[in-house]
DNA sequence: TGCATATTACACACCC
DNA sequence: GGGTGTGTAATATGCA
């Protein structure tokens, strides 16, 4: 079969294009997910070092949690302030 | 059929008993879940009032969030302290 | 300072009143939210009992889900029925 | 007080060293966690693109899940195969 | 192996 | 009414 009908060809092409885009998205996400997994692995390793050095990972984890909360709390307070400002028309 | 074999009867009974317990658990949970839904509804209603009174629900929500965070942060700090105390053997 | 300007006083009052209403709303919502949390806790406890009794919480959960769907389905069908009835003037 | 007792000094130093190490661990972990969060963000963005292109993120997600499972399955099978091979002395 | 926690998926509510 | 964001439920993982 040397030549497909133009209609058929068009369909094939768009399907093929869609397929390629999907494939590309999937591969991109998979790449990112393996990056993420690698970083998670690194974190685990550091906790391993922590333990090996004689510190309690639990405590380190707790400290990190609190530090994170502090940051989040500050961010929330800023957001509240922004809301107030915008509520009284002072946001621009 | 006036009499079942004792073995069969025993099986029936235990199945029946299990069934009743399961049913009882299910009904209890369903009751609690409708309570929960009712409370959630009440909360929504209050936000409705808030809006009707001319306040911004968003801001109220944000304030509540911050207050909650403060409480949680304090709890976390206490936990960290407990961890420290236990780490140096002063937890009893 | 024996006397405030009436304008100033009015402003203070309305701000104060607003503040009180907001505070009241916030406390009401917080009360409801802790009720909700308490009920959620109760539900968790029941699932704990379920497990302790030797049943699988996952299955109980599934059953409850299905029952809920059935109930919703029946309610929808009833609603549809009511609509039909009213459409042919048989709703009173 | 011109001079600390040597014992006290030693304690100070080790505490200081410990403190530095802990701080270093904490900062390292925090750095890694923000990297992780950044990658997670990137993934979310790609799903945003997927949606914007007209594909269903849910389906893409499903495909990725299946591919992951397949990969894991293949890895397991390979591992099993290696085990067999080694059991019959064909692993070198 | 059971529990606690962290992550992920889902559903509902709000806004445009 | 559709898209977005938030909050909640389910799941997976790591630890004791």
């Amino acid at each position: 079969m040397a030549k497909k009908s133009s209609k058929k060809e068009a369909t094939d092409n768009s399907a093929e294009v869609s397929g390629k885009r999907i494939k590309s998205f999937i591969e991109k996400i998979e790449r990112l997910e393996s990056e993420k997994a690698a970083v998670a692995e690194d974190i685990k390793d550091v906790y391993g070092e922590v333990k090996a050095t004689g510190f309690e990972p639990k405590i380190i984890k707790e400290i990190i949690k609190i530090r994170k909360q502090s940051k989040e709390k500050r961010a929330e307070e800023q957001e509240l302030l922004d809301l107030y400002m915008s509520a009284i028309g002072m946001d621009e």
Side-chain angles (χ1 to χ4, degrees), chain A:
Chain A
M1 197 201 284
K3 193 175 181 310
K4 296 164 194 161
S5 78
S6 66
K7 186 173 183 303
K8 184 68 171 54
E9 199 165 30
T11 307
D12 280 0
N13 281 345
S14 66
E16 196 184 317
V17 170
S18 287
K20 285 202 174 164
R21 293 193 81 169
I22 291 178
K23 198 155 188 290
S24 148
F25 280 133
I26 288 173
E27 284 165 356
K28 193 168 186 180
I29 291 168
E30 285 176 340
R31 223 172 314 123
L32 289 168
E33 292 207 324
S34 65
E35 267 184 56
K36 185 148 82 83
V39 178
E41 192 65 18
D42 289 347
I43 292 171
K44 262 187 64 182
D45 291 346
V46 178
Y47 277 113
E49 277 183 69
V50 165
K51 194 170 199 172
T53 316
F55 300 119
E56 300 216 26
K58 241 188 181 175
I59 293 180
I60 306 290
K61 221 169 248 182
E62 189 67 28
I63 294 170
I64 289 171
K65 206 173 183 180
I66 289 172
R67 283 163 63 104
K68 197 178 171 194
Q69 280 184 338
S70 301
K71 273 205 285 293
E72 279 166 4
K73 197 159 176 291
R74 260 176 284 127
E76 291 289 345
E77 278 159 6
Q78 186 56 45
E79 195 177 331
L80 180 59
L81 186 59
D82 292 345
L83 276 173
Y84 282 146
M85 298 296 271
S86 104
I88 59 173
M90 290 189 60
D91 57 322
E92 348 182 355

